Amino acid sequence: MKKSAPVSRSGRFASGPAADVTRFTESISFDRRLWRHDILGSIAHATMLESIGILSKAELKAILRGLDNIADDIRDGRFKWDPNCEDVHMAIESALTKRVPAGAKLHTGRSRNDQVALDMRLWLRDEIVGLASEIRSLQKALVRLGADHGDVLIPGYTHLQRAQPVHLAHHLLAYVEMFQRDKQRLRDCFVRVNVCPLGSGALAGSTLPLNRELVAKLLGFVDAKGNPRLTQNSMDAVSDRDFIIEFCSIAALIGVHLSRLAEDLVLWTSSEFGFVRIGDAYTTGSSLMPQKKNPDVAELTRGKSARLVGNLTALLTLLKGLPMTYNRDLQEDKERLFDTADTVRATVRITTAMLQHTTVNRAACKAAVSDPMLLATDLADYLVRKGVPFRQAHHAVGAAVALAERSGKPLDQLPLGDLRKINPRFAPDVKDVFNLGNAMSRRNLVGAPGNTQVRRQLNAWLKKLK
Ligand code: ARG
């Protein structure tokens, strides 16, 4: 047993915890990364304690200087993280009290329960801002690739079968839309993270006249008008981890979006498609097959999404049976959150870099999109414009496709006579249907992959993401 008992046990306990209990219950090995935000919270709390007369001016000054020194020591790697201290909150407080006697007053009206809720909110606020800006860079890379190849057409697919022609840019901009919604979700989530729980105590507030508004303002927990935003129920405030789950759910969705993009890249870099090439620096080789160039970055991006989904599932499971209010189970939220934040950010960043090192194989795209079958729907629309009901037009073109397959001729090479046997409305102007340029300028509804629309979308995104 240790001689000096941890701060939380002084008084009540005859001995310190057994060594294996210390090892099992500690979080200092992973929650130390909250140190910056823990110190920020303590600075605000101490400032408030002085304003209500619990600390003297001199005591506040000493505490602030002590916290400052600790911050310097941690940043420069000089700080001794005491494994007996359980967590980051106790490590910093006990280091402070060793340096500054007034440190013993810092925890007045505060519990580690509202303190950890505060630290997590402060930490997550910064993460959200950082992630949103990384997503913006990813969107830029997608738009750039699309804009640099604004004239490139590829087949669009459903069921992974060739369907209709689209601009490559249109395909890439689909992801830009997804990531835009993800950014909006992050912004929404930020609003709910940005509420100050300090003053909730262990679960039932405090009998002392703490100034919660002041603490909230000092820490930037304010609305657009600068009014403080405070949690309104102390029991909820210390046991709520919705804000973490919300973030992890958005991160999981971002992971799923990244995974789909990665899957497209895996397909597109295969010899079967060959639409794009990923630069050597962003691919790997095979230890056995000398010819291989593998899209491992894209594959791992796909794989990382599993962790993000797993972390979300773990957190939901962690919370579901907890009685009110704080329970130590909640300590398990940290590694899942940290892992999610690190994983999603690293994945967004590497995907951006990979896209910046991706080139388009125009010839392969052109060859694929020249398949006249892609314009079968246009052929049906042609008949519709001649007054044929769509169901009959669909049937007629189906028959033409079958004939083309049977006779081994491309759809656009069937003799007009054969087409007219299928439907007499086919006329010599039918050959215009197979002009891809025409086909693309016809697709002009809002959101469609026609020339004008795609140009408009590219310009709008270029402007928005400037
Ligand atoms: N390390 C703890 C956690 O992450 C801090 C709160 C501890 N509170 C307590 N009552 N033991 O949840």
Side-chain angles (χ1 to χ4, degrees):
M1 300 290 154
K2 292 160 307 302
K3 278 196 215 93
S4 65
V7 192
S8 69
R9 295 170 70 97
S10 59
R12 168 74 174 79
F13 295 86
S15 73
D20 48 357
V21 171
T22 302
R23 267 198 310 277
F24 187 70
T25 56
E26 67 87 24
S27 55
I28 196 168
S29 56
F30 49 87
D31 69 11
R32 66 175 68 170
R33 69 186 284 180
L34 294 170
W35 67 268
R36 225 180 267 279
H37 300 93
D38 194 76
I39 288 177
L40 277 176
S42 287
I43 290 172
H45 187 63
T47 306
M48 183 277 291
L49 289 177
E50 189 275 331
S51 80
I52 61 169
I54 288 184
L55 292 178
S56 70
K57 280 214 156 36
E59 285 170 331
L60 172 63
K61 217 172 140 193
I63 286 176
L64 295 185
R65 193 173 319 120
L67 288 172
D68 229 36
N69 291 338
I70 291 173
D72 287 347
D73 287 355
I74 298 176
R75 200 194 40 236
D76 300 342
R78 280 192 305 268
F79 190 76
K80 289 255 165 324
W81 291 99
D82 178 356
N84 295 317
C85 267
E86 212 175 283
D87 57 26
V88 65
H89 323 294
M90 297 215 314
I92 291 175
E93 189 192 334
S94 81
L96 177 71
T97 311
K98 269 187 209 134
R99 295 170 195 214
V100 181
K105 291 190 177 180
L106 176 63
H107 213 50
T108 312
R110 188 174 73 169
S111 156
R112 276 183 299 155
N113 296 354
D114 57 351
Q115 188 178 0
V116 72
L118 173 76
D119 291 5
M120 297 290 270
R121 285 173 183 270
L122 286 170
W123 185 87
L124 192 50
R125 268 193 339 198
D126 287 351
E127 266 316 300
I128 290 174
V129 173
L131 176 58
S133 106
E134 308 259 10
I135 293 179
R136 194 185 158 85
S137 305
L138 170 59
Q139 288 178 301
K140 273 190 184 175
L142 285 162
V143 173
R144 188 60 15 252
L145 191 61
D148 286 350
H149 304 88
D151 56 328
V152 172
L153 299 172
I154 55 170
Y157 296 76
T158 64
H159 312 269
L160 205 50
Q161 306 290 319
R162 283 183 183 172
Q164 298 190 51
V166 295
H167 277 275
L168 171 70
H170 194 60
H171 191 129
L172 297 172
L173 287 182
Y175 287 103
V176 177
E177 295 281 344
M178 292 178 224
F179 292 125
Q180 185 67 10
R181 291 194 296 276
D182 290 333
K183 274 194 322 197
Q184 288 162 355
R185 276 183 269 269
L186 285 173
R187 222 170 291 149
D188 263 17
C189 172
F190 185 94
V191 174
R192 280 179 289 279
V193 173
N194 196 28
V195 185
C196 186
L198 211 65
S200 302
L203 78 161
S206 171
T207 58
L208 300 165
L210 306 179
N211 185 344
R212 293 194 63 200
E213 288 77 8
L214 175 61
V215 174
K217 279 190 189 164
L218 288 172
L219 292 171
F221 289 106
V222 291
D223 63 18
K225 293 194 186 113
N227 295 318
R229 301 187 70 227
L230 307 177
T231 54
Q232 298 294 309
N233 182 304
S234 60
M235 296 177 77
D236 177 43
V238 294
S239 61
D240 161 42
R241 296 294 183 270
D242 296 9
F243 65 99
I244 292 176
I245 293 196
E246 209 177 323
F247 173 79
C248 288
S249 123
I250 298 168
L253 186 50
I254 295 169
V256 168
H257 289 157
L258 288 165
S259 177
R260 296 186 63 185
L261 171 58
E263 172 60 11
D264 275 341
L265 290 173
V266 169
L267 285 173
W268 287 359
T269 52
S270 69
S271 313
E272 283 69 15
F273 280 77
F275 294 174
V276 300
R277 237 183 97 89
I278 300 174
D280 286 358
Y282 287 83
T283 55
T284 51
S286 158
S287 55
L288 189 145
M289 300 165 283
Q291 89 284 13
K292 290 297 289 292
K293 188 172 133 172
N294 296 328
D296 288 34
V297 173
E299 289 169 287
L300 270 170
T301 293
R302 205 172 49 191
K304 297 281 184 194
S305 65
R307 280 159 81 115
L308 299 171
V309 174
N311 287 340
L312 172 63
T313 309
L315 286 167
L316 288 165
T317 314
L318 175 69
L319 278 201
K320 91 179 171 58
L322 292 188
M324 289 291 266
T325 54
Y326 179 85
N327 298 272
R328 191 64 178 273
D329 316 44
L330 291 177
Q331 181 167 291
E332 285 290 310
D333 63 357
K334 276 162 213 68
E335 286 160 295
R336 304 281 62 82
L337 172 64
F338 296 156
D339 185 61
T340 280
D342 294 343
T343 303
V344 74
R345 244 172 119 163
T347 313
V348 169
R349 201 173 306 154
I350 195 94
T351 303
T352 306
M354 179 170 55
L355 287 169
Q356 287 163 345
H357 290 83
T358 296
T359 52
V360 174
N361 182 342
R362 288 167 175 274
C365 295
K366 188 161 184 206
V369 82
S370 302
D371 178 355
M373 287 295 193
L374 290 165
L375 295 170
T377 311
D378 295 49
L379 198 56
D381 288 348
Y382 164 88
L383 287 178
V384 166
R385 277 196 295 275
K386 306 247 171 194
V388 180
F390 179 73
R391 279 295 155 217
Q392 285 171 27
H394 185 280
H395 187 84
V397 175
V401 167
L403 176 63
E405 274 178 3
R406 235 182 303 123
S407 58
K409 284 201 182 92
L411 185 62
D412 59 342
Q413 306 293 315
L414 287 177
L416 182 59
D418 289 355
L419 286 176
R420 291 176 75 101
K421 265 183 235 148
I422 294 171
N423 191 302
R425 301 286 178 94
F426 281 116
D429 61 353
V430 69
K431 63 176 188 321
D432 298 338
V433 168
F434 293 100
N435 177 319
L436 254 183
N438 290 345
M440 294 322 284
S441 50
R442 277 212 190 92
R443 287 172 161 76
N444 252 331
L445 300 179
V446 172
N451 298 331
T452 324
Q453 286 299 325
V454 172
R455 210 174 311 118
R456 183 174 301 160
Q457 287 292 327
L458 278 171
N459 286 337
W461 281 115
L462 283 170
K463 216 158 111 199
K464 201 172 199 157
L465 298 169
K466 212 161 43 205

